[in-house]
Amino acid sequence: MNENLTADRPTFVTHLECSMTGERYEADRLHNLSRVGRPLLVRYDLDAVGASLSRDQLAARETDLWRWRELLPVRHTRDIVSLGEIETPLIPVPKSGGAKVLVKDEGRLPTGSFKARGLVMAVAMAKELGVTRIAMPTNGNAGAALAAYATRCGIETIVFCPEDTPEINVREIQAQGGRVWRVNGLIDDCGAIVGKGAGEGRWFDFSTLKEPYRIEGKKTMGLELAAQLGWRLPSAIFYPTGGGTGLIGMWKAFDELERLGWIGSERPRMYAVQASGCAPIVRAFEAGEEHAERWEDAHTVAAGIRVPRAVGDFLILRAVRESGGKALGVGDPAILKAVDECARRDGLLLCPEGGATLAAYKQALKDGEVDEDEEVVLFNCATGLKYPMPEAPNWLDRHGAIDFDQL
Amino acid sequence: MNENLTADRPTFVTHLECSMTGERYEADRLHNLSRVGRPLLVRYDLDAVGASLSRDQLAARETDLWRWRELLPVRHTRDIVSLGEIETPLIPVPKSGGAKVLVKDEGRLPTGSFKARGLVMAVAMAKELGVTRIAMPTNGNAGAALAAYATRCGIETIVFCPEDTPEINVREIQAQGGRVWRVNGLIDDCGAIVGKGAGEGRWFDFSTLKEPYRIEGKKTMGLELAAQLGWRLPSAIFYPTGGGTGLIGMWKAFDELERLGWIGSERPRMYAVQASGCAPIVRAFEAGEEHAERWEDAHTVAAGIRVPRAVGDFLILRAVRESGGKALGVGDPAILKAVDECARRDGLLLCPEGGATLAAYKQALKDGEVDEDEEVVLFNCATGLKYPMPEAPNWLDRHGAIDFDQL
């Protein structure tokens, strides 16, 4: 069986620090945001990690997420929780994308989305730090991942989602033991309810970036990508950006890998992809702002990136700018067309948010922003099976005469 | 990138043979059933495989399905088709199953089901042998896998499914470039239409076991399980059995592994799990018959195992009997209860067919057929996300007064 889940391994967290001010916070204690209301980042003794672990040792381990244990915050092996966090495959999409375009298919993770990466880590840390009741606002997939992992280790969960959250998400949260409420509002309205209850001491607040460990889980996307590509990185990454935890996490991962000497100083251009109907990061990027204002009247078929306000806005914008990338908005018609083309031509069913990255890539190609010779990775953040597909109306009467020429 | 998809490796197919009579058939030519109307089995020069490949060499490869290349029929690397056939994880279900119960979660494969294993191989061989048009009857998941892989390599597909096939399956087949028809009948009625068209030379017939290569793909479940458990096998396997390709395939895999000297002569007891509303194999097993008659008025929530008649019936029954296992039927209420319990207690959402294996295991435990100290593997053959879940009715008005004590 998988030793990553059972072997005791050394851990190297030294402290946490405010992503805005750099102020230091103690490790191994419960935290939400920093004193100035910004996300906390986990810091490691990377010299000691490097002395303890080599790339060859890593290569000999099972390839799941927990192989990165020395770069993760969980201290005790007994606190690991797992539903099989496999390494997600890189799938070429030559016909709908191009010869050098790879889709990282995060829909293969537990509960069918990349939210599993963040939540498996946050739940394991909650378990380690003695949390017994968690609440969270969600557009769907994060709540499903939370419910699955928390249920698995006996933590109670209460989840709030916008009333138009896909039915399948609401039901899977409940099926997996979460208590779930639909709310007449958007995700930040749900977040306000969670915040109020947390303020009253009713539960621990698991909102995006409001606890420090989801980002450490999401960081494994960057670690994994580097390992899969033989310790190099692609020229560009197109990432569907709502709360942006994954983009921030990958950017952090690349820094840690460079400090370990496992990769060089080259970085992919990071493209933060949003829907034009909810594009606060794109607007702030284009205006040269450091922070993004709330986007009013948010709407898009890609519910996972319908996030009007991101608490880590400045971290997303900073990573995108440092990388030489951009924030890009794509319309719903382009998103749906990309989903359709990828399935119909390459046999790969993307989620709408994954479709958004393909649409953004095609636009960037047209604009000369990327070259078709550049290796590019698109993140498909969830299985396409969770989303509506066009009707298939053909019907045949087996008792009738079948006109085979018409089939 | 994954060398399993790009490296040229030796192949060892010597011939095919009739599973009933042993009659020999030439390799590298198109075949459906044997002259006596029974499935063909692919045979390899296993001595040569053993001389060419060691378990250590295997361990150094990426863990996906194509790592088993020397035990697979595809001759030319260029004919490999892939959507990321990862090794599926073994997930403990201690609360709903027991301390020694592992679920092999096949829902992580492309198109969300274990059908990907069979179809990736059959489509690659169809490509290799020059097929340009394929037709297939399906209860849903097989058609989806066929459409995805065939589309990916430019083969046309026509799929027929019972009219009450889950809507999501019908739509994903179409989305992935397949042409799909609903038919007022069951899967064998659909099979009759496919057979008629094939007889007229309109397409190649891809029905379960009617072409020889799906079984070679499904066989990788057995190969993979042995490798994951450190070259030993569990005490018992509970397998959801419709057409039975996977059970037959695993049984074949274990023989090949023993002939390679990679495992010993011990075998798991194989439990073929069916729904009581469609249990032809159970009836034949209990009656001591070698073949199973068609089950009339088949009905069950587990659509994937609603197969009234299996062309490989005698191979399923033979494997089950040789293994010391049984064929077991479970009712729909037990199936739904198992799905509910596994999600609500262990955070793992099974498909109904996977739920059937958990229900059968619990029944077998109660009957003293298995012991709770025995290591058992249950096959969850598809992602639970494709199936209906109970409604989640809670609703909250963010403008109203929220009674936090009631949440």
Side-chain angles (χ1 to χ4, degrees):
Chain A
M1 290 290 296
N2 184 352
E3 284 202 354
N4 295 340
L5 304 180
T6 55
D8 287 326
R9 287 177 178 154
T11 66
F12 298 93
V13 175
T14 53
H15 64 284
L16 282 65
E17 65 181 40
C18 173
S19 56
M20 180 79 99
T21 66
E23 188 188 0
R24 236 179 127 98
Y25 290 78
E26 239 178 284
D28 308 310
R29 292 187 49 184
L30 272 184
H31 294 290
N32 282 115
L33 292 175
S34 73
R35 258 174 285 271
V36 297
R38 291 295 167 177
L40 292 175
L41 300 175
V42 181
R43 296 300 179 196
Y44 301 82
D45 180 349
L46 292 170
D47 292 337
V49 173
S52 169
L53 182 68
S54 70
R55 293 187 297 184
D56 285 349
Q57 284 171 300
L58 260 175
R61 294 181 181 173
E62 298 270 335
T63 54
D64 71 309
L65 173 148
W66 291 102
R67 114 183 89 155
W68 302 101
R69 181 76 181 280
E70 286 85 347
L71 289 167
L72 297 175
V74 178
R75 300 285 193 190
H76 304 292
T77 304
R78 63 170 180 264
D79 293 320
I80 287 178
V81 52
S82 174
L83 285 162
E85 297 70 34
I86 58 142
E87 180 181 271
T88 59
L90 288 168
I91 303 171
V93 286
K95 296 179 197 164
S96 59
K100 306 268 284 179
V101 180
L102 299 169
V103 171
K104 192 153 169 69
D105 189 7
E106 297 279 299
R108 309 299 191 82
L109 289 162
T111 70
S113 90
F114 70 162
K115 297 290 182 182
R117 291 188 190 267
L119 271 310
V120 73
M121 202 57 55
V123 168
M125 287 306 294
K127 181 183 174 197
E128 188 148 87
L129 299 174
V131 173
T132 58
R133 201 162 190 238
I134 292 169
M136 178 199 261
T138 183
N139 281 325
N141 282 325
L146 169 62
Y149 287 114
T151 286
R152 196 161 172 87
C153 60
I155 296 175
E156 199 183 340
T157 52
I158 298 143
V159 173
F160 302 91
C161 57
E163 59 188 342
D164 59 353
T165 297
E167 187 63 26
I168 190 170
N169 287 133
V170 186
R171 292 187 183 204
E172 69 177 316
I173 293 167
Q174 176 181 269
Q176 291 163 178
R179 304 215 306 274
V180 57
W181 270 265
R182 286 184 182 82
V183 177
N184 52 346
L186 291 179
I187 189 168
D188 50 357
D189 300 311
C190 297
I193 297 170
V194 171
K196 186 155 187 292
E200 295 178 10
R202 294 178 179 275
W203 50 55
F204 188 69
D205 186 343
F206 246 48
S207 304
T208 302
L209 294 176
K210 284 197 182 161
E211 65 74 59
Y213 301 109
R214 280 168 73 176
I215 197 172
E216 294 305 294
K218 281 282 189 74
K219 167 179 101 174
T220 61
M221 288 190 290
L223 302 174
E224 200 169 289
L225 190 57
Q228 283 179 296
L229 295 176
W231 304 105
R232 54 176 191 80
L233 299 173
S235 298
I237 288 175
F238 285 73
Y239 188 82
T241 306
T245 317
L247 193 149
I248 299 165
M250 282 195 279
W251 199 243
K252 181 172 188 283
F254 299 151
D255 276 349
E256 291 174 0
L257 290 174
E258 185 183 357
R259 293 215 19 223
L260 286 166
W262 294 359
I263 62 169
S265 60
E266 309 77 16
R267 292 289 183 276
R269 299 197 304 285
M270 305 294 279
Y271 292 96
V273 177
Q274 300 202 302
S276 351
C278 181
I281 300 295
V282 177
R283 187 171 58 188
F285 177 83
E286 290 176 351
E289 305 284 352
E290 198 190 341
H291 290 280
E293 277 182 47
R294 186 176 199 274
W295 187 276
E296 302 302 327
D297 299 320
H299 61 275
T300 166
V301 292
I305 51 177
R306 196 182 56 178
V307 178
R309 178 166 43 197
V311 65
D313 54 0
F314 66 110
L315 296 171
I316 301 168
L317 287 160
R318 197 182 289 171
V320 167
R321 288 181 177 127
E322 282 179 20
S323 77
K326 275 189 177 171
L328 301 170
V330 285
D332 281 1
I335 290 173
L336 294 173
K337 182 162 177 275
V339 169
D340 174 59
E341 285 189 359
C342 193
R344 206 165 24 79
R345 303 180 65 189
D346 286 308
L348 182 63
L349 188 64
L350 303 175
C351 64
E353 297 79 10
T357 66
L358 178 54
Y361 169 73
K362 304 276 271 193
Q363 188 57 48
L365 200 62
K366 200 176 287 177
D367 295 344
E369 175 69 27
V370 292
D371 191 280
E372 63 182 1
D373 293 336
E374 290 188 298
E375 187 178 52
V376 166
V377 172
L378 314 178
F379 275 83
N380 183 50
C381 49
T383 170
L385 293 169
K386 286 194 179 188
Y387 304 87
M389 285 176 268
E391 278 181 47
N394 292 336
W395 193 88
L396 199 65
D397 181 3
R398 76 183 165 102
H399 302 297
I402 297 170
D403 182 352
F404 280 89
D405 290 326
Q406 295 302 313
L407 293 179
Chain B
M1 290 290 297
N2 185 351
E3 283 202 354
N4 295 341
L5 305 180
T6 55
D8 287 326
R9 287 176 178 154
T11 66
F12 298 93
V13 175
T14 54
H15 64 285
L16 282 64
E17 66 181 39
C18 174
S19 56
M20 180 81 98
T21 65
E23 189 189 358
R24 232 179 131 98
Y25 291 77
E26 238 178 286
D28 308 309
R29 292 188 47 182
L30 272 184
H31 294 290
N32 283 114
L33 293 174
S34 73
R35 259 173 286 270
V36 298
R38 291 295 166 177
L40 293 175
L41 299 175
V42 181
R43 296 301 180 196
Y44 300 82
D45 180 349
L46 292 170
D47 293 337
V49 172
S52 168
L53 182 68
S54 70
R55 293 187 297 184
D56 284 348
Q57 284 172 300
L58 259 175
R61 294 181 182 174
E62 298 271 336
T63 53
D64 71 309
L65 172 148
W66 290 103
R67 115 183 88 155
W68 302 102
R69 180 76 180 279
E70 286 85 345
L71 289 167
L72 298 175
V74 178
R75 298 286 193 191
H76 305 291
T77 304
R78 62 170 182 264
D79 293 320
I80 288 178
V81 53
S82 174
L83 285 162
E85 298 69 34
I86 58 141
E87 179 180 273
T88 58
L90 289 168
I91 303 172
V93 286
K95 296 179 197 164
S96 58
K100 306 268 284 176
V101 181
L102 299 169
V103 172
K104 192 153 169 70
D105 189 7
E106 297 279 299
R108 309 299 191 80
L109 289 162
T111 71
S113 90
F114 71 162
K115 298 289 183 182
R117 291 188 191 268
L119 270 310
V120 72
M121 202 58 54
V123 168
M125 288 306 295
K127 181 184 173 197
E128 189 147 85
L129 299 174
V131 173
T132 57
R133 202 163 189 239
I134 293 169
M136 179 200 259
T138 184
N139 281 325
N141 282 327
L146 169 62
Y149 287 114
T151 286
R152 196 161 172 87
C153 60
I155 297 176
E156 199 183 340
T157 52
I158 299 144
V159 173
F160 302 91
C161 57
E163 59 189 342
D164 59 352
T165 298
E167 186 63 27
I168 190 170
N169 287 132
V170 186
R171 293 187 182 204
E172 68 177 317
I173 293 167
Q174 176 182 269
Q176 290 162 178
R179 303 215 307 272
V180 56
W181 270 264
R182 285 184 182 83
V183 176
N184 51 347
L186 290 180
I187 190 167
D188 50 357
D189 299 311
C190 297
I193 297 170
V194 170
K196 186 155 188 291
E200 294 177 11
R202 295 177 178 275
W203 50 56
F204 189 68
D205 186 343
F206 246 48
S207 303
T208 302
L209 294 176
K210 285 197 181 161
E211 65 73 59
Y213 302 109
R214 279 169 72 176
I215 197 171
E216 294 304 293
K218 280 283 189 73
K219 166 179 102 173
T220 60
M221 287 188 291
L223 302 175
E224 200 170 288
L225 190 56
Q228 282 178 298
L229 294 176
W231 304 106
R232 53 176 192 79
L233 298 174
S235 299
I237 289 175
F238 286 73
Y239 188 82
T241 306
T245 317
L247 194 149
I248 299 165
M250 283 195 280
W251 199 243
K252 182 172 188 284
F254 299 151
D255 276 349
E256 291 174 0
L257 290 174
E258 185 183 357
R259 294 217 15 224
L260 286 165
W262 294 358
I263 63 169
S265 59
E266 309 78 17
R267 292 289 183 277
R269 301 195 302 286
M270 304 294 280
Y271 293 96
V273 178
Q274 299 202 303
S276 351
C278 181
I281 299 294
V282 177
R283 187 171 57 190
F285 177 83
E286 290 175 352
E289 305 285 351
E290 200 190 339
H291 290 280
E293 277 181 47
R294 185 176 199 274
W295 188 276
E296 302 301 328
D297 300 320
H299 61 275
T300 166
V301 291
I305 51 178
R306 196 182 56 177
V307 178
R309 178 166 42 197
V311 65
D313 54 359
F314 67 110
L315 296 171
I316 301 167
L317 287 160
R318 196 182 291 170
V320 166
R321 287 182 178 127
E322 282 180 20
S323 78
K326 277 190 177 171
L328 301 170
V330 285
D332 281 1
I335 290 173
L336 294 173
K337 181 161 178 275
V339 169
D340 175 59
E341 284 189 359
C342 193
R344 206 164 25 77
R345 302 181 65 189
D346 286 308
L348 182 63
L349 187 64
L350 304 174
C351 63
E353 297 78 10
T357 67
L358 177 55
Y361 168 74
K362 305 275 271 192
Q363 188 55 49
L365 199 62
K366 200 177 286 177
D367 295 345
E369 175 70 26
V370 292
D371 191 281
E372 62 182 3
D373 294 335
E374 290 187 298
E375 187 177 52
V376 166
V377 172
L378 315 178
F379 275 82
N380 182 51
C381 49
T383 170
L385 294 169
K386 287 194 178 187
Y387 303 87
M389 285 176 268
E391 279 181 48
N394 292 336
W395 193 89
L396 198 66
D397 181 3
R398 77 183 163 102
H399 302 297
I402 297 169
D403 182 352
F404 281 88
D405 289 328
Q406 294 302 312
L407 293 179

